[in-house]
Each structure stands twice: as C-alpha cells, then as structure tokens.
Amino acid sequence: MYDLTVPGPHCYLSNGLVSHNCQGSEFKAVIIPVTTSHYIMLHRNLLYTAITRAREKVILVGTKKALALAVKNNKPVQRYTMLADLVQKTPS
C-alpha cells in the first residue's frame, strides 16, 4: 500500500485523458488503472497505447489478474464509425 498524500501546494486535473485520445502525445509520467471492474476496456492495444505515452515513468494501479487479461486479449475491436457513409456522401 502506498501513501498518496502529496505535501505542499499542488494541482488536480478535473478530468483525465483517455489513452487513445493521446496518440502522438507524450507525458513525463502516466498512471494507468488496470482493474476488472471495467474489463471491457482490457485490451492489449489500449494498454500498449497508454504505456507508450510515458517518457519516464508508468504506474499501473490494479490487479495482476486484470493486467494478465489485458495482455492476453488481442482480439480486434469492432469500431463503429461513420467513415464509409461520409466518404460515399462526399462529392468528388
């Protein structure tokens, strides 16, 4: 167990960043929650993207079971975009 108390003045983010919205960005440190309570998000590609955003430090918070599930889950994720509709409607 770690004491997460930070002495002195400090700031808090009002919201976090989602790893797939940060592609191409880097941060000094990245904290990644890895829990089975949101097992639907445990995908290897999402974990890889989150880990590779860090320049210096990665902190995984969660369980070994959840981490193992994420690493093993290499199934392609069905993406629901409207790209095909937009391309068809775009005048040439």
Side-chain angles (χ1 to χ4, degrees):
M1 185 65 78
Y2 293 97
D3 182 4
L4 298 178
T5 304
V6 179
H10 51 278
C11 299
Y12 294 100
L13 290 174
S14 62
N15 58 351
L17 298 172
V18 179
S19 64
H20 64 269
N21 288 344
C22 295
Q23 289 181 338
S25 299
E26 284 188 332
F27 304 94
K28 185 174 180 179
V30 175
I31 302 171
I32 307 166
V34 187
T35 65
T36 55
S37 62
H38 297 289
Y39 69 92
I40 199 158
M41 297 296 292
L42 295 176
H43 292 276
R44 183 187 304 179
N45 63 330
L46 292 177
L47 182 62
Y48 173 83
T49 301
I51 289 172
T52 57
R53 299 307 97 206
R55 280 192 306 262
E56 295 179 21
K57 185 180 285 192
V58 174
I59 301 170
L60 299 174
V61 179
T63 64
K64 290 180 182 180
K65 177 182 177 180
L67 180 60
L69 288 171
V71 170
K72 290 178 188 175
N73 187 359
N74 198 26
K75 297 176 188 169
V77 179
Q78 176 69 38
R79 298 184 67 166
Y80 298 101
T81 68
M82 298 187 62
L83 181 59
D85 293 335
L86 293 171
V87 169
Q88 289 176 357
K89 292 178 182 178
T90 303
S92 47

